[in-house]
Each structure stands twice: as structure tokens, then as C-alpha cells.
Amino acid sequence: MKLQTRLFGKTYVFREIKEVLAKANEPKSGDTLAGLAAASAQERVAAKVVLSELLLSDLRENPAVPYEEDEVTRIIQDDLNETVYAGLRNLTVGELREKLLSEQTDAAEIARLRRGLTSEMIAAVCKLMSNLDLVSAAKKMPVTAHCNTTIGLPGTLSCRLQPNHPTDDLDGILASVCEGLSFGAGDAVIGLNPAGDSHERCRRILEKFREIKERHRIPTQTCVLAHVTTQLRAMEQGAPADLIFQSIAGSQKGNSAFGFDAALMEQARQTALHRGSATGPNVLYFETGQGSELSSDAHHGTDQVTMEARCYGFARHFSPFLVNTVVGFIGPEYLYDARQVIRAGLEDHFMGKLSGLPMGCDACYTNHMKADQNDIENLATLLTAAGCNYFMGIAHGDDVMLNYQTTGFRETATLRQLFGLSAIAPFQKWLVDMEFFTPQGLPTAKTGDGSVLL
């Protein structure tokens, strides 16, 4: 295994594969903060050259965290289809990139070969791709999932209606839900981040969601994004949960910092399947984001793109309905500016889709980051071209509870029109029946008037 190359009149030598992966990464402030980034553009190019020549078997045999020490590694490795892997193990990372981008490789072939890829392989090939490569390859990887409805079908673009409220006031939440629905948001899920994490508050909000969903016969899913243990306790008290949510990390230590492990997540999945209010079989909702492992000292000296890929390797074990990267939420310490956020959003979507996940994106930023709403609209447009399953939708794109900026109700509606897409079919029919949109997907005089639902 060769970990050196001569370039620009200089020999670059790397100690281990983990260092090659880190230094081949596009610039990220989180990698610099962790002391993992390439020292120069020349060293970055040299690392990419070395990475392109590594065999996929080299990456399989050198996971970011040792198998014996980490249950995320064990899940990723044990879930691998050994027959598919045997046919891929002697490919170089560069050859895998060419295979994914080849016009001869279609969605069915990618669906087959992804079963033989570990997360480290997926991260490695991601690092060799340009932004346009990431868009082009991801577009070839549609992934669907079914809860009460089916997300990810060709010709659709979905939206999570995010009616967050700073005090979890039910009337305020309801007003936001009704406004969002009238703009066509909410076919992915009506999902709220609670200001408080009590099981009683979780239950009350879920019951309010059920009330409006049943009253107006809305074909969608509902979720309260409390901690998994809070949601389970709410379900014990009869809360009508369609989806169980949890933020996840790419290492066992990172998941421990979030307060759960794989056994608890499997318990949540089984509880949702047997006691939840959805038809299933996909009943979990995961959120991720580059840098979370570094923030909890759980990155094991690994770059944030590779750790993010490992999140997706963990997630696919549980067959979720929704996964999204909250790409700019964690702050400029990890993604410094719009250029890094856009790159990370395209990377995460590509890696999630190559992992076989129904991938969405919270295209967002915090107010102390060098980014603005135009940058987020740029990312959302690129991701729509890449076949992203869904975005967030919150009034005016301004989350006054979480204090960050994201996409509003109008963005998804505009992107649907721009790209000739629609909401999930039963939800789109509901929008037409409610006269919020025409059969051609155009807004009506009632679009934006959520008062008709109150």
C-alpha cells in the first residue's frame, strides 16, 4: 500500500490512510480546528493522488475507528454484502469514481454496488469529485422510502414543515402548520423541534398534529423531534407518533454523547412498528451534520467528511424514512463560509444517496457564519438538480426557536415550479382538492392563506 507521491518537485509522504483521507478533503474549518487539514493546496492535491490509487480493500481493512472499539464500525462492516464487495475490492478509488460517473452505470447498477461499499469508501470517492460530479452522480441514485406515503419517487420534491415556536404554544404552532400547508409544505413530514424536552409536551404536540391531520385528511407523517427516550415515553402514554427521531453521529462515542446506542435505536424502531401510528415499514427520522463528532470529542482523529459518511452507514442499518444533514447549523468553527457549506451540502447528499438513504438537506446557516439567504438558495437549487428528496420549510426561513436561517415555505414551491416537480402524489392531490394549487401545480388565490384550515 503506497502512501506517498512525488508532485510539484516534492515527495509527499502520509503516515496512514486516515491522514490521506483528511488531507484529501476540500477545505473545512473543522478539519483545520482539529489539526487534520492539508497544510497547502499542493499537499491536498498530493493526498488526492494517493487516495485515487488506494484499493477499496485498503479502506475496508483500515476503518476510521477499529472494529473492536466501536459499534458503528461493526454495524458498517457487518452489514456489507460480501459477494458484492468481492467484486469491488480490487478497484481503486479513482476507478470507483469513474464507474459512478460513467454513462454506462445506471441507477440499478449503483443500487447493487452500494451494498459492497463501506462508509470510508464512500467518503473517499466523494473527496475525488468536483461539485458538478457530486450533482451528476447523486442524480443517478433515486432512493425511496414509505411511512404513510412514499418519498423520493421521480418527479417529486418534498418539504418538511417545521413549525417551531419559542414557547411551544399550540396556537402558534397550529398557525404555522396551516400557513405552511397552504404553500405546499409538509408532504415529507410535519415535524417540530420542541423548545422543551418533556414527554408530556411531546404528547400534546403530537395529539395536535393528529387532530389537524385527521380533520383535513392530510396524507403525510408527523413527528416531534425530542430525544428518542422522550418520544418513547410519550408513546407509552398513547401519543400518536408516526416517526421516531434522533440526531446521530459517526462513532459510538458520538452517539453516547447524544444519549443513545444502537440497541436503543432498534428498540425505538420496533416500538414505532408495533405501537406507532404509521403504516411503515420506514418509521425513523435521523439528522446529521458535519462536525458534530469533533464538537463532542468523538471524531477519533478523523476528518469530518469521513465521520459524516459513517453516520449514513449507521443510519441505513435501521431503514429510516427520512435522513437530512443540517448542513450549516453547527457554525463557522466547522464550516466557515458559504463556499464550505455548499460543498458540504453536496457531499452529504451524495454520500447519503450512495449509502442508500432517502436523503434531504436542511440548507441553512447561522448568523455568525459568512453566508446569507442567497447562498442557501444556491445550495437548494444545486441539490434540487441533484435529486434531493426534501428541504425544510419554516415561515420566512427564520427559525425563531433554534435561532438559525433555513429555507422557507416559498423556496420549495418555487423549486418545484422551476424544475417541473411536485409534492408526493397523494399530498399533491390534497393541495389541488383544497384549491391551494391548480392541477398544473400553479398557486391559486388561496395559496399562503392557511386560515381556511384553522
Side-chain angles (χ1 to χ4, degrees):
M1 183 171 55
K2 182 182 176 183
L3 296 182
Q4 67 180 55
T5 189
R6 185 163 180 80
L7 211 61
F8 312 114
K10 179 179 178 180
T11 299
Y12 291 87
V13 180
F14 303 96
R15 298 184 309 275
E16 57 181 342
I17 286 180
K18 189 182 294 190
E19 183 183 9
V20 176
L21 285 167
K23 292 190 174 180
N25 200 19
E26 291 298 300
K28 301 289 172 58
S29 54
D31 291 337
T32 301
L33 180 66
L36 302 174
S40 65
Q42 291 86 347
E43 186 180 29
R44 182 174 301 109
V45 172
K48 288 178 185 288
V49 169
V50 172
L51 182 59
S52 72
E53 296 171 349
L54 289 177
L55 299 177
L56 297 187
S57 59
D58 295 330
L59 293 158
R60 171 82 189 274
E61 293 160 10
N62 292 272
V65 191
Y67 183 95
E68 298 76 17
E69 300 176 12
D70 187 90
E71 72 173 5
V72 174
T73 300
R74 292 192 289 274
I75 284 172
I76 293 168
Q77 297 274 1
D78 294 350
D79 281 354
L80 209 64
N81 183 305
E82 297 292 347
T83 301
V84 177
Y85 168 69
L88 299 172
R89 66 187 316 276
N90 291 321
L91 286 181
T92 66
V93 178
E95 289 169 338
L96 175 61
R97 172 186 174 274
E98 292 177 5
K99 190 174 186 66
L100 293 172
L101 293 172
S102 170
E103 294 179 357
Q104 307 306 313
T105 304
D106 60 13
E109 173 63 10
I110 293 174
R112 186 192 70 82
L113 69 84
R114 70 161 58 106
R115 298 165 64 202
L117 300 176
T118 67
S119 299
E120 284 80 3
M121 299 174 200
I122 290 170
V125 74
C126 177
K127 294 166 191 287
L128 299 185
M129 290 194 167
S130 70
N131 285 6
L132 185 57
D133 289 341
L134 294 172
V135 172
S136 178
K139 181 67 173 177
K140 298 164 66 174
M141 307 178 195
V143 179
T144 64
H146 184 88
C147 184
N148 293 322
T149 58
T150 300
I151 197 167
L153 289 170
T156 64
L157 174 63
S158 297
C159 183
R160 168 189 158 194
L161 205 174
Q162 183 173 311
N164 294 351
H165 191 280
T167 64
D168 289 338
D169 177 78
L170 289 180
D171 289 338
I173 292 168
L174 180 60
S176 186
V177 168
C178 292
E179 181 186 12
L181 287 168
S182 67
F183 276 107
D187 61 324
V189 64
I190 302 173
L192 173 136
N193 299 91
D197 198 53
S198 75
H199 64 277
E200 179 59 29
R201 183 175 301 203
C202 179
R203 181 185 62 79
R204 287 201 308 270
I205 297 169
L206 284 169
E207 288 175 347
K208 177 59 69 174
F209 285 169
R210 176 174 61 182
E211 177 186 325
I212 187 171
K213 191 173 77 166
E214 292 183 351
R215 183 196 313 159
H216 297 288
R217 300 182 180 180
I218 306 169
T220 189
Q221 299 65 223
T222 60
C223 182
V224 171
L225 284 71
H227 190 270
V228 59
T229 54
T230 302
Q231 295 167 84
L232 288 174
R233 189 168 180 191
M235 289 181 70
E236 290 174 359
Q237 296 187 350
D242 291 335
L243 290 168
I244 298 293
F245 165 82
Q246 183 55 47
S247 294
I248 62 173
S251 69
Q252 181 176 340
K253 185 177 180 182
N255 286 336
S256 294
F258 281 133
F260 77 97
D261 59 15
L264 179 57
M265 195 50 56
E266 181 58 26
Q267 177 190 339
R269 190 174 79 90
Q270 293 300 326
T271 300
L273 286 171
H274 292 96
R275 299 180 58 180
S277 48
T279 57
N282 308 114
V283 290
L284 295 182
Y285 176 8
F286 295 133
E287 285 189 343
T288 70
Q290 288 190 31
S292 64
E293 295 85 6
L294 178 58
S295 70
S296 59
D297 191 28
H299 65 297
H300 296 273
T302 303
D303 71 274
Q304 59 191 47
V305 169
T306 303
M307 293 308 293
E308 182 72 7
R310 287 168 55 87
C311 292
Y312 306 139
F314 178 81
R316 68 181 172 185
H317 181 74
F318 300 96
S319 302
F321 177 68
L322 300 174
V323 180
N324 71 264
T325 169
V326 193
V327 70
F329 182 74
I330 199 167
E333 298 85 0
Y334 307 94
L335 296 171
Y336 180 70
D337 57 13
R339 181 176 180 178
Q340 293 189 12
V341 169
I342 289 172
R343 174 69 189 188
L346 297 177
E347 289 169 340
D348 295 353
H349 176 252
F350 163 81
M351 294 191 297
K353 284 290 183 67
L354 187 51
S355 300
L357 295 173
M359 197 70 193
C361 181
D362 190 343
C364 63
Y365 64 101
T366 57
N367 288 318
H368 60 312
M369 179 183 289
K370 290 184 179 294
D372 61 24
Q373 206 68 20
N374 286 329
D375 298 314
I376 294 310
E377 290 179 2
N378 289 344
L379 174 57
T381 303
L382 287 168
L383 285 170
T384 303
C388 188
N389 282 24
Y390 69 102
F391 298 115
M392 304 301 115
I394 195 164
H396 305 289
D398 183 14
D399 193 318
V400 294
M401 194 282 283
L402 290 175
N403 196 29
Y404 81 119
Q405 314 304 310
T406 184
T407 45
F409 301 141
R410 292 171 174 82
E411 280 85 339
T412 300
T414 300
L415 289 166
R416 285 171 178 161
Q417 291 182 39
L418 182 63
F419 284 86
L421 304 171
S422 72
I424 294 171
F427 189 88
Q428 186 69 30
K429 181 180 183 302
W430 180 83
L431 292 174
V432 173
D433 291 344
M434 294 297 295
E435 300 181 355
F436 292 134
F437 287 83
T438 69
Q440 293 74 35
L442 298 175
T444 68
K446 289 185 177 181
T447 301
D449 181 14
S451 63
V452 300
L453 297 173
L454 290 172

